[in-house]
Amino acid sequence: MDSPMSGTFPMRSRLRPKRTTQMKMITLGLVAIAVIVVAVAIRPQFARAELLKEGQIAPPFTSQMITGEQEAPMSLADFHGKKVVLYFYPKDETSGCTKEACAFRDGYARYTNAGLVVLGCSVDSADAHKDFIRKNNLPFPLVLDPDKKIAKAYGAANGIPILGLDRRITYVIDENGKIIKVYPSVDPSTHAIEILNDLGVADAAPPAPAAPAPPAAPATN
């Protein structure tokens, strides 16, 4: 004779898989909601600012810059009266950033002969900038921007959101502080020459050496 409880076991065994599936679905739903909430919460700090446009006045800024082994205060206003090439790059010593910096180095004589100032800017530390300059013999200054204030003002912040690195973009600022060129897409190997071409100074030659003074006439008695 069957036990009066024997009929209940099959019912329980049928209910358990359903309850397990429901619990899994509820858990997955809660996880998905949590992910969405976190993404919405952190999105503002990772959002990219818009790039500035040609014709706008370049936002003023002050910081420190590294020239060789020296660190000194600087501001954009220090270069009033000169055209400034302000280029943002992700990180010292990385492959693309090294190519770009060395391209500016190799064309630097043409920049200086044309009266152009080159400033590189990233979120790297002063020591990282000094190492980068030393290893690659960079003749132009690198600007410090550890709190990303400059990058945010110029729409360069959070080019690589997970790492918090700058976008690779360049601005050319004229003698009166107006933006005359914007480069939102950069080929690190050719960008330095591209700028010179666009500004019409790619073939700028160094100034001709001064003619030697004629020999002095021999003294006569």
Side-chain angles (χ1 to χ4, degrees), residues 167-178:
R167 300 169 68 177
R168 194 185 302 281
I169 59 175
T170 298
Y171 292 94
V172 180
I173 303 166
D174 75 3
E175 294 85 349
N176 297 309
K178 184 173 71 175

Side-chain angles (χ1 to χ4, degrees), residues 46 48 155-162 164-168:
F46 285 147
R48 284 183 174 183
N158 294 326
I160 307 176
I162 294 177
L165 303 180
D166 287 350
R167 300 169 68 177
R168 194 185 302 281

